[in-house]
């Protein structure tokens, strides 16, 4: 059984066939799907889906793209929302200096506020890091972001950084790009980091793995990332499914 540790099931791309997608996920062997919010509204939707589907859990937070929306009022709303028992982490938060849809200052402020929120609620963090590796690591260390552990979503950094992040209490999660032919750096990290700290995800509807690259992604396709990871680690797909699912249950504290 597999766990997709990072999906955006509330995305409008799934509005027409969400129930069918959930059924295909079950058929593909998924036992749990973690639905991630990226602003307050989508965080509410993630919780609603977690209440609707017993195999879904929610993560609530504000993405660095939307950091400018994290007012004091929204932060208070997120705090209340995050106390729901179906919410297993805070995020996705972090820094994205590729698009800069919110200013770097706004991103840093929102990142630190959500680290505090995770501390207050004793929940792990889900971190988005794009073109900001060193600064993300610096903030993690300074703010003790790994106090309740966390996940580096769709990891794109190099091996030494992954080692540093694991020392800080973070798991390293791989998405569809692991299957891309030109993803040599990511594949090297996946081949060498501790198996006890590896997770797999889709980030659907984005980052579709080979051989479906260019099409809409969905949870069932996480099997292709698991297959590539098995190849890189010289393990069977069943072994990788078991290991990554146990890791996901541990970091998200899923008991059922």
């Amino acid at each position: 059984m597999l766990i997709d540790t990072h999906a955006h099931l509330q995305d409008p791309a799934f509005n027409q066939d969400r129930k069918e997608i959930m059924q295909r996920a079950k058929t593909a062997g998924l036992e749990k799907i973690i639905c991630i919010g990226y602003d307050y509204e989508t965080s509410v939707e993630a919780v609603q889906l977690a209440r609707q589907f017993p195999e879904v859990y929610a993560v609530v937070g504000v993405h660095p793209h939307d950091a400018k929306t994290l007012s004091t009022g929204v932060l208070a709303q997120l705090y209340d929302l995050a106390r729901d028992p179906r919410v297993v982490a805070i995020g996705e938060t972090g820094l994205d200096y590729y698009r800069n849809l919110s200013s770097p200052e706004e991103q840093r402020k929102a990142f630190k506020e959500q680290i505090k929120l995770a501390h207050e609620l004793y929940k792990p963090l889900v971190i988005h890091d794009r073109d900001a590796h060193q600064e993300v690591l610096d903030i993690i260390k300074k703010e003790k972001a790994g106090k309740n552990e966390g996940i580096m979503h769709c990891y794109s950094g190099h091996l030494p950084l992954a080692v540093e992040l694991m020392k800080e209490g973070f798991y390293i999660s791989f998405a569809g790009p692991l299957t891309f032919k030109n993803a040599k750096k990511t594949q090297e990290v996946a081949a060498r980091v501790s198996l006890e700290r590896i997770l797999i995800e889709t980030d659907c509807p984005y980052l579709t793995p080979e051989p479906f690259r260019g099409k809409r992604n969905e949870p069932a396709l996480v099997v292709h990332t698991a297959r590539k990871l098995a190849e890189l680690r010289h393990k069977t797909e069943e072994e990788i499914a078991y290991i990554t699912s146990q890791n996901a249950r541990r970091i998200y504290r899923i008991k059922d």
Side-chain angles (χ1 to χ4, degrees), residues 92-191:
E92 63 183 286
T93 183
L95 303 176
D96 189 315
Y97 291 165
Y98 178 73
R99 291 187 178 174
N100 281 314
L101 297 183
S102 290
S103 71
E105 182 179 349
E106 289 169 326
Q107 291 186 49
R108 287 190 288 268
K109 183 175 185 294
F111 188 14
K112 292 175 183 178
E113 290 286 359
Q114 289 176 89
I115 291 171
K116 291 177 185 175
L117 185 62
H119 286 172
E120 290 174 20
L121 293 166
Y122 305 102
K123 293 185 185 289
L125 273 170
V126 176
I127 294 182
H128 172 105
D129 165 21
R130 189 168 187 188
D131 290 359
H133 299 328
Q134 189 58 51
E135 190 166 352
V136 165
L137 180 62
D138 290 344
I139 290 174
I140 283 172
K141 288 183 174 181
K142 185 175 181 181
E143 304 295 327
K144 295 181 172 56
K147 180 179 179 182
N148 301 307
E149 298 190 307
I151 296 166
M152 298 305 298
H153 138 68
C154 190
Y155 189 73
S156 62
H158 50 56
L159 183 61
L161 176 64
V163 172
E164 284 296 307
L165 289 164
M166 288 188 292
K167 288 178 182 176
E168 294 298 317
F170 283 83
Y171 288 64
I172 309 298
S173 185
F174 298 98
L178 184 68
T179 69
F180 298 171
K181 292 179 181 178
N182 62 349
K184 300 304 180 186
K185 180 177 70 173
T186 304
Q187 290 170 4
E188 179 194 9
V189 176

Side-chain angles (χ1 to χ4, degrees), residues 3 27 57 64 87-88 115 118 120 160 172 187 192 194 201 245:
I3 295 180
T27 301
Y57 285 87
V87 174
V88 293
I115 291 171
E120 290 174 20
I172 309 298
Q187 290 170 4
R192 297 179 62 184
S194 170
E201 60 170 278
S245 293

